[in-house]
Amino acid sequence: MPIDATQPYDDGNIFARILRGEIPANRVYEDEHALAFHDIAPQAPVHVLVIPKGPYVSWDDFSARASDAEIAGFIRAIGHVAREHVGRGYRLLANTGGDAGQEVPHLHMHVFAGGPLGPMIAR
Ligand code: 5GP
């Protein structure tokens, strides 16, 4: 069920629980500000999620409230994951709110790669 991204941060969301180590994730990268792990239901040969460690619902929330260090750290973590796929290419996607189908109310960037990724948006 898509979420309302204008709601306050819900500390019980699944990615908050992954960050706290309460449920497992197949981690591919971690640093002070960000965590990257494989999506549980991959929609491409490579499907990694990159999340900031702070409590942010969406890109607009994050860009308004996060510190410069958190923003730089998140962007660099996405770049770290993406850099492995420079040769063939990759796609970044951040769903936000109901129309975009955001299901987990913690900001996440999808990194898709590993094969042809199809059209940019469903018609
Ligand atoms: P959204 O639709 O919010 O942009 O994407 C949420 C993503 O989180 C989906 O692609 C979904 O497969 C993934 N996801 C949901 N629950 C879990 C989980 O417990 N572990 C992992 N690794 N991914 C999850």
Side-chain angles (χ1 to χ4, degrees):
M1 171 80 82
I3 60 116
D4 176 354
T6 64
Q7 292 298 304
Y9 186 79
D10 170 13
D11 207 34
N13 79 75
I14 198 87
F15 293 168
R17 297 185 63 199
I18 287 174
L19 282 168
R20 291 195 295 267
E22 294 171 3
I23 58 173
N26 189 353
R27 297 171 182 230
V28 298
Y29 178 76
E30 181 168 11
D31 63 24
E32 180 184 358
H33 294 296
L35 173 67
F37 51 95
H38 288 284
D39 195 291
I40 202 168
Q43 296 188 43
V46 173
H47 186 174
V48 171
L49 300 169
V50 189
I51 65 174
K53 288 192 168 175
Y56 304 103
V57 177
S58 63
W59 193 269
D60 48 283
D61 180 30
F62 180 68
S63 60
R65 294 196 298 112
S67 68
D68 289 356
E70 287 176 295
I71 292 171
F74 182 50
I75 298 292
R76 288 189 188 282
I78 294 166
H80 181 91
V81 173
R83 207 167 292 120
E84 296 180 21
H85 307 289
V86 165
R88 292 191 54 168
Y90 58 88
R91 179 173 293 158
L92 305 180
L93 178 72
N95 294 316
T96 303
D99 281 353
Q102 182 180 6
E103 293 180 350
V104 179
H106 181 114
L107 172 61
H108 48 284
M109 186 69 81
H110 296 261
V111 182
F112 300 107
L117 298 171
M120 183 165 63
I121 193 166
R123 297 278 176 202

